[in-house]
């Protein structure tokens, strides 16, 4: 009986196993990679200074770079107990604010938040907002995506 001698097939198998060990982590990383970025672009963001426990305001512009309409459905920040979109309106010569549950943004259009119009209300601030500070904020949209932004606190 002839003794067993490894042939070139076993070298191919060893080589294939070696390659599989190298490729597996790369394939795994691809499977868990972050989804592509949102079609929403945030610019001109700023917030007013405010005391801890008070209500603050933030303003920004959101560009919908997609070819379909989208709605801003919510916002949140760890510096506030609640964050809501509000709109300042005038009725019978009096100015008042109304919460908005959604804000539509047409395709390839933008939505501007500014004093006296749409804005973000940061309610029950967990810390003071001081000039040169930044506020982390997450904006969520009707298509299931979200955008994280850092909003600078500036003196109006």
């Amino acid at each position: 009986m002839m003794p067993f001698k490894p042939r070139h097939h076993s070298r191919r198998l060893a080589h294939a196993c070696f390659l599989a060990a190298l490729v597996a982590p790369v394939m795994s990383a691809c499977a868990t990679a972050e989804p592509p970025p949102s079609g929403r672009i945030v610019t001109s963001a700023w917030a007013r200074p405010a005391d801890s426990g008070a209500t603050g305001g933030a303003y920004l512009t959101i560009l919908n770079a997609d070819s379909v309409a989208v709605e801003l459905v919510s916002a949140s920040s760890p510096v506030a107990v609640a964050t809501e979109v509000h709109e300042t309106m005038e009725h019978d010569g009096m100015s008042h604010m109304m919460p908005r549950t959604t804000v539509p943004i047409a395709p390839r259009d933008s939505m501007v938040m500014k004093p006296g119009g749409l804005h973000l209300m940061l309610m029950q601030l967990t810390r003071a907002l001081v000039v040169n500070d930044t506020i982390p904020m997450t904006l969520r949209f009707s298509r299931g995506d979200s955008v994280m932004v850092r909003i600078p606190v500036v003196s109006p």
Side-chain angles (χ1 to χ4, degrees):
M1 187 165 171
M2 297 277 284
F4 176 75
K5 290 186 181 178
R7 304 195 79 138
H8 64 282
H9 295 295
S10 60
R11 274 189 266 158
R12 277 191 210 155
L13 180 61
H15 184 69
C17 289
F18 175 74
L19 287 176
L22 287 177
V23 171
V26 173
M27 295 304 288
S28 174
C30 290
T32 60
E34 290 293 316
S38 164
R40 265 50 74 205
I41 301 165
V42 177
T43 63
S44 307
W46 65 281
R48 296 178 184 273
D51 292 330
S52 179
T55 297
Y59 312 92
L60 46 84
T61 298
I62 303 171
L63 169 65
N64 177 13
D66 285 342
S67 59
V68 295
V70 70
E71 292 179 331
L72 174 64
V73 295
S74 70
S76 62
S77 176
V79 304
V81 172
T83 303
E84 295 179 358
V85 177
H86 281 213
E87 185 171 14
T88 303
M89 301 176 157
E90 192 147 329
H91 181 54
D92 292 333
M94 297 290 291
S95 191
H96 64 280
M97 286 184 275
M98 301 255 328
R100 296 275 306 265
T101 54
T102 63
V103 179
I105 310 170
R108 311 259 188 260
D109 200 1
S110 59
M111 182 268 306
V112 178
M113 292 188 173
K114 61 184 179 181
L118 286 170
H119 57 279
L120 294 165
M121 295 291 295
L122 300 151
M123 300 192 279
Q124 297 177 4
L125 291 169
T126 58
R127 63 177 171 86
L129 305 181
V130 296
V131 174
N132 296 325
D133 192 6
T134 58
I135 304 167
M137 174 118 18
T138 302
L139 306 171
R140 291 180 188 78
F141 298 90
S142 58
R143 298 188 59 82
D145 60 321
S146 60
V147 174
M148 294 181 68
V149 294
R150 297 198 62 80
I151 301 175
V153 178
V154 299
S155 184

